[in-house]
Amino acid sequence: MKGKKDGNVSTVMHFLLMGFSNFSHIQGFLFGIFSMIYIIIIFGNSLIIMLTRLDPALQKPMYFFLANFSLLEMCYVSVTLPRMLVNLWTQNRSISLLACATQMCFFLILGTTECFLLAVMAYDRYVAICNPLHYPLVMNPKMCVQLAVGSWVIGSPVQIGLTAQIFSLHFCDSHQINHFFCDIPPIIKLACENTSRHEMFVFVVAMLFAAVPFMLILFSYSRIISTILKLPTASGRAKGFSTCSSHLIVVILFFVSATITYLRPKSSHSPGTDKLLSLFYTILTPMFNPMIYSLRNKDVIAALRKLLLKKV
């Protein structure tokens, strides 16, 4: 598992993802549950992408971004969940240093993409509700593509650099990662050197790529809510809130759990809490998103109904 030793520092070549090893008596049950969740995530998000592509009523910027978001969720969950399923099935928890670094890098890049894509979706709703006359001009197809591409690529260079910095640390004899994937907090815990500089870098990156988009979302929704409350009719206000409620629920689910994980002090980290929070924003939120968007969106429900009637 380990390479050459230098004093009390060892060059770790492999890690062990401990995952849910403390629940050894229900490994098969957990494999079944997480397999079902993975199938639901892939099927639900694929269905949303298909609906937004096929139904003419969904050829709008809002649904273009929703299709991007669904694709992102499938990629995001595929970085962590298949590996966890393999570990549960085979009980072989070993992961190479390169595979661990690759998993972390893609996880961070896709997490950054989610933050910015949620901010872009909030901006889309802001323009639609606060400046409806300018909406077709502002959110033209070229602008939509630029915003989507920007969301996908903006965090890549910094997150690659952050991953390289984390894995430049010297790790002690312990190589057991008390987590179900290679995340920053449990990896840093294995280091046997001063990690304050690395933790500061993680904090700055989290503020830049999570807190800034979140502040933009809050600003957009403060303007949106202010505009909706000024509408003269109750039906108009209800329609305005229903248009934004799905996105707002997803924002709260994702940002609250992710922020608690990455921005709370190191001293308050515990493996159990970290795993629970990580399960929430890496697996449960991608599973709930298609349900939230489909059940709370009349256009999506109508498109799904038309598709089912065609099949029948």
Side-chain angles (χ1 to χ4, degrees):
M1 291 295 176
K2 292 166 282 193
K4 189 190 295 183
K5 278 199 171 187
D6 179 18
N8 65 338
V9 178
S10 44
T11 307
V12 176
M13 302 307 295
H14 288 78
F15 293 105
L16 289 179
L17 284 169
M18 301 312 293
F20 302 99
S21 56
N22 50 329
F23 300 106
S24 56
H25 54 296
I26 55 168
Q27 297 291 292
F29 174 73
L30 290 174
F31 176 83
I33 291 293
F34 287 123
S35 296
M36 286 291 294
I37 290 174
Y38 191 47
I39 292 168
I40 290 168
I41 291 169
I42 298 299
F43 176 76
N45 285 288
S46 298
L47 183 61
I48 285 182
I49 293 171
M50 184 173 66
L51 290 174
T52 57
R53 295 281 294 173
L54 296 177
D55 197 292
L58 302 184
Q59 305 303 308
K60 301 173 183 175
M62 175 182 176
Y63 299 108
F64 169 75
F65 293 125
L66 179 57
N68 268 270
F69 189 68
S70 293
L71 175 61
L72 171 65
E73 293 292 62
M74 290 193 291
C75 296
Y76 188 58
V77 79
S78 295
V79 171
T80 57
L81 194 46
R83 181 87 202 193
M84 185 171 74
L85 291 173
V86 170
N87 291 351
L88 286 169
W89 182 256
T90 64
Q91 297 300 300
N92 178 13
R93 306 182 187 281
S94 177
I95 183 170
S96 69
L97 184 73
L98 179 60
C100 190
T102 303
Q103 185 186 57
M104 179 188 286
C105 187
F106 277 104
F107 174 77
L108 294 175
I109 289 171
L110 293 171
T112 300
T113 301
E114 180 146 355
C115 293
F116 279 96
L117 198 52
L118 286 170
V120 166
M121 293 168 79
Y123 175 69
D124 171 71
R125 293 298 82 208
Y126 162 73
V127 178
I129 292 172
C130 300
N131 297 290
L133 297 178
H134 295 97
Y135 184 68
L137 183 64
V138 175
M139 300 305 291
N140 59 71
K142 183 180 178 181
M143 173 63 78
C144 291
V145 170
Q146 288 175 340
L147 289 170
V149 171
S151 298
W152 280 92
V153 303
I154 192 169
S156 299
V158 175
Q159 299 295 11
I160 290 170
L162 176 58
T163 304
Q165 189 187 61
I166 296 295
F167 282 89
S168 69
L169 288 164
H170 295 292
F171 299 104
C172 301
D173 287 339
S174 175
H175 55 281
Q176 295 183 352
I177 301 173
N178 198 352
H179 215 305
F180 59 89
F181 72 99
C182 294
D183 200 6
I184 293 175
I187 293 287
I188 286 183
K189 278 187 178 180
L190 299 181
C192 48
E193 60 178 284
N194 186 357
T195 60
S196 56
R197 183 169 57 88
H198 300 77
E199 289 169 41
M200 180 56 66
F201 189 29
V202 170
F203 181 81
V204 170
V205 170
M207 290 297 292
L208 185 63
F209 291 140
V212 170
F214 187 57
M215 294 304 293
L216 292 173
I217 291 169
L218 289 180
F219 173 76
S220 296
Y221 272 101
S222 66
R223 299 294 299 273
I224 288 168
I225 292 170
S226 175
T227 301
I228 291 173
L229 291 175
K230 291 176 184 175
L231 293 175
T233 63
S235 60
R237 290 193 292 272
K239 185 179 179 182
F241 281 121
S242 67
T243 303
C244 302
S245 58
S246 300
H247 180 252
L248 198 54
I249 291 169
V250 171
V251 166
I252 292 168
L253 288 174
F254 177 78
F255 274 101
V256 169
S257 55
T259 301
I260 293 172
T261 299
Y262 286 99
L263 295 183
R264 75 186 196 275
K266 183 182 177 182
S267 58
S268 64
H269 280 268
S270 70
T273 306
D274 285 349
K275 287 180 195 177
L276 183 63
L277 289 169
S278 297
L279 274 177
F280 205 84
Y281 67 82
T282 60
I283 296 174
L284 296 181
T285 303
M287 181 180 71
F288 290 139
N289 286 348
M291 302 177 197
I292 292 169
Y293 276 110
S294 58
L295 294 176
R296 299 185 63 84
N297 191 296
K298 292 178 181 178
D299 291 339
V300 174
I301 291 173
L304 182 59
R305 189 177 290 121
K306 279 195 284 184
L307 181 67
L308 291 175
L309 288 174
K310 281 183 183 179
K311 296 294 181 185
V312 171

